[in-house]
Amino acid sequence: MAAEIQPKPQTRTPVLLNKIESSQDVVNTAVIIPKEDGVISVSDDRTIRIWLKRDSGQYWPSIYHTMPGEYSSRIMSDILPVFQEFILSEDYNKMTPERTYEAHQGKVTVVLFVLEMEWVLSTGQDKNLTWHCSESGTQLGLYRTIAWVSGLQFDVETRHAFVGDHSGQVTILKLEQDSCSLVTTFKGHTGNVTALCWDPAQRVLFSGSSDHSIIMWDIGGRKGTAIELQGHNDKVQGLCYAPHTRQLISCSSDGGIVIWNMDVTRQETPEWLDSDSCQKCEQPFFWNFKQMWDSKKIGLRQHHCRKCGQAVCGKCSAKRSTIPLMGFEFEVRVCDNCHESITDEDRAPTATFHDSKHSIVYMHYEPTTGWLLTSGADKVVKVRQTRPDTLYLIQEDTFMQSIFLGAYMCMKESVFLYSLCLCVCQQLWDMTPVVS
């Protein structure tokens, strides 16, 4: 069912621990169960499986459940706009249906459980954000978004919901028990938002997009600071933040995994300046007909220096350089003056790059163990150790976790299962990193 891979000791590269290869269809979401050394997976064939690690070191399925739905020939048609609650037995060998939430008119895209509020937030392709009481199942409120939502995060302290949608916009809402109000909106991506990640300690929101970029929004600073991170060559599929190491983990659909060091002072990228001529050599650009006629010269194409933002011609910006503190881990166009000012220290990378060797569909990070789970288009789930030289001491009496898998599990062992969408919510852990 699953092959166990023995990791090499004392390496900081993500080490492959296990592979689960028995899914019949693409696993589009999965989470790690830390206390039981297990995995919950949801596949495109509407099946939910709970995998537990056996004494052999392999993961074997413990529960198999099929969600209801309709199909059209070989292609899956409309997915039921509901999510369901199940009671999960303590030995993870039985799931009992408890409640069905008919929250949307279209496919459910994201579900988020807020344990402290006893709220269940959900979004769908009907462009609605809803929140329900998890105790009674009653719908508390609804908000209509401008496009269907693909990313959702929530801050318990301020009751702010962060909503990323297919228009590329990030919206901040203030949720109350039975109402909500619009706080502000951010627009920085040229493609749709594909992932969101919130760090409540630093008050920073990360957004990933189909435009291959990640933006770090400084919410707590109240200055509107937005830091770009350019390290992917394809659509960003997932974002996870490791608070104890201050690292951002991102993945893309081409299989790339990037681990960003966020414990450095980063710089905003400059605004691109407008000009009718090169701001270095003053040669006219091709639309500047008057200067072209007066100087009897052919107009040039406009470019921009990524470091200073000035409008320059190709001749004055022929050099390339990485600028990691500005988020450019790949070489980008810079003007001659900026290229001379960039030192070797400025070029020191702030991220490491790894190949997952499969097209990533979904990613989940478990902070208590440092394990990173990726599921791919190849129907394989892979579990890696991102920090094999670090152990975490967990105080058992503070242990409480919530998993939405549709699923969440809390102290009373309830599980919510919905239509092929999953995200994770966790309470604070009392964890002490111990480096061996």
Side-chain angles (χ1 to χ4, degrees):
M1 288 292 183
E4 183 181 25
I5 292 89
Q6 296 297 331
K8 297 178 181 179
Q10 301 299 321
T11 175
R12 292 182 179 271
T13 301
V15 177
L16 185 62
L17 301 176
N18 285 93
K19 292 196 294 184
I20 301 175
E21 301 176 292
S22 298
S23 299
Q24 301 301 312
D25 211 330
V26 174
V27 176
N28 61 16
T29 48
V31 292
I32 296 168
I33 309 173
K35 283 188 70 176
E36 299 298 329
D37 202 354
V39 171
I40 304 176
S41 66
V42 183
S43 302
D44 279 345
D45 60 5
R46 302 178 186 272
T47 59
I48 300 118
R49 290 179 171 87
I50 296 182
W51 309 80
L52 297 180
K53 192 173 183 180
R54 307 303 183 184
D55 293 338
S56 63
Q58 299 178 340
Y59 284 98
W60 289 80
S62 176
I63 299 177
Y64 174 99
H65 179 84
T66 302
M67 294 288 290
E70 298 180 2
Y71 291 79
S72 175
S73 65
R74 296 180 59 191
I75 301 176
M76 183 165 54
S77 64
D78 207 13
I79 297 178
L80 290 178
V82 301
F83 54 93
Q84 294 179 306
E85 178 184 357
F86 288 74
I87 301 299
L88 183 62
S89 63
E90 292 184 4
D91 61 1
Y92 295 90
N93 284 316
K94 184 179 180 181
M95 289 167 46
T96 306
E98 178 74 8
R99 182 182 291 126
T100 297
Y101 294 78
E102 297 181 359
H104 297 278
Q105 300 299 315
K107 175 184 174 182
V108 178
T109 56
V110 183
V111 172
L112 188 65
F113 174 59
V114 184
L115 182 64
E116 296 84 350
M117 308 294 299
E118 294 184 343
W119 286 357
V120 184
L121 282 63
S122 65
T123 63
Q125 289 187 351
D126 58 357
K127 303 179 184 179
N128 286 336
L129 163 67
T130 67
W131 56 105
H132 290 73
C133 173
S134 63
E135 290 297 306
S136 65
T138 305
Q139 180 172 312
L140 301 176
L142 182 146
Y143 180 83
R144 182 79 172 173
T145 59
I146 64 172
W148 69 274
V149 176
S150 48
L152 178 63
Q153 295 282 278
F154 186 80
D155 180 58
V156 175
E157 181 181 342
T158 62
R159 296 191 181 185
H160 285 155
F162 305 98
V163 181
D165 60 45
H166 266 233
S167 72
Q169 178 175 287
V170 177
T171 303
I172 301 182
L173 303 171
K174 173 78 170 182
L175 299 190
E176 301 295 346
Q177 188 71 19
D178 56 359
S179 65
C180 78
S181 57
L182 176 64
V183 178
T184 188
T185 58
F186 298 137
K187 184 74 174 180
H189 292 290
T190 58
N192 56 286
V193 175
T194 54
L196 289 180
C197 181
W198 170 245
D199 174 22
Q202 302 297 321
R203 317 296 298 172
V204 169
L205 179 72
F206 300 95
S207 62
S209 172
S210 59
D211 63 10
H212 310 176
S213 72
I214 300 167
I215 298 180
M216 181 178 72
W217 308 91
D218 184 7
I219 307 297
R222 300 179 181 271
K223 297 180 180 179
T225 304
I227 306 294
E228 289 187 41
L229 302 175
Q230 302 282 353
H232 288 285
N233 292 312
D234 211 330
K235 176 175 69 174
V236 177
Q237 288 286 75
L239 296 171
C240 301
Y241 186 72
H244 292 276
T245 57
R246 296 202 63 180
Q247 292 176 319
L248 176 70
I249 305 172
S250 61
C251 68
S252 53
S253 55
D254 62 358
I257 298 175
V258 183
I259 301 179
W260 307 83
N261 178 14
M262 303 309 298
D263 198 21
V264 295
T265 302
R266 295 187 176 272
Q267 306 167 15
E268 277 192 283
T269 53
E271 294 287 339
W272 285 4
L273 303 178
D274 292 325
S275 179
D276 292 329
S277 59
C278 176
Q279 294 181 300
K280 298 298 181 182
C281 67
E282 299 184 351
Q283 292 287 336
F285 293 133
F286 62 84
W287 60 84
N288 189 350
F289 297 111
K290 184 179 185 305
Q291 187 176 349
M292 288 166 57
W293 177 263
D294 292 343
S295 62
K296 301 297 187 292
K297 293 180 180 179
I298 298 176
L300 304 176
R301 182 182 175 186
Q302 184 190 64
H303 300 281
H304 285 89
C305 173
R306 300 311 193 263
K307 191 173 190 298
C308 67
Q310 288 190 320
V312 291
C313 66
K315 183 178 180 181
C316 294
S317 60
K319 295 182 173 62
R320 303 290 186 270
S321 176
T322 60
I323 320 175
L325 292 181
M326 282 189 172
F328 297 114
E329 294 289 338
F330 301 148
E331 290 191 341
V332 291
R333 182 186 296 272
V334 292
C335 67
D336 294 345
N337 291 344
C338 286
H339 189 271
E340 293 177 1
S341 68
I342 299 175
T343 65
D344 290 340
E345 184 178 353
D346 295 332
R347 294 187 178 93
T350 61
T352 57
F353 299 83
H354 314 278
D355 184 7
S356 69
K357 300 190 184 300
H358 65 168
S359 178
I360 297 176
V361 175
Y362 184 82
M363 178 179 69
H364 168 59
Y365 177 73
E366 174 48 56
T368 63
T369 58
W371 288 5
L372 181 70
L373 178 151
T374 59
S375 60
D378 56 0
K379 307 178 185 178
V380 176
V381 175
K382 298 182 180 182
V383 179
R384 290 178 169 84
Q385 172 59 270
T386 59
R387 298 279 298 180
D389 57 339
T390 302
L391 303 175
Y392 289 95
L393 303 180
I394 307 172
Q395 187 173 319
E396 286 295 329
D397 60 359
T398 63
F399 181 89
M400 188 176 292
Q401 80 163 5
S402 306
I403 299 179
F404 260 94
L405 217 128
Y408 92 75
M409 293 186 300
C410 62
M411 294 300 287
K412 63 180 182 182
E413 300 295 344
S414 292
V415 177
F416 277 83
L417 296 164
Y418 62 93
S419 301
L420 307 180
C421 300
L422 175 153
C423 53
V424 175
C425 166
Q426 291 181 317
Q427 256 196 327
L428 294 177
W429 311 82
D430 182 9
M431 296 192 305
T432 305
V434 181
V435 180
S436 57

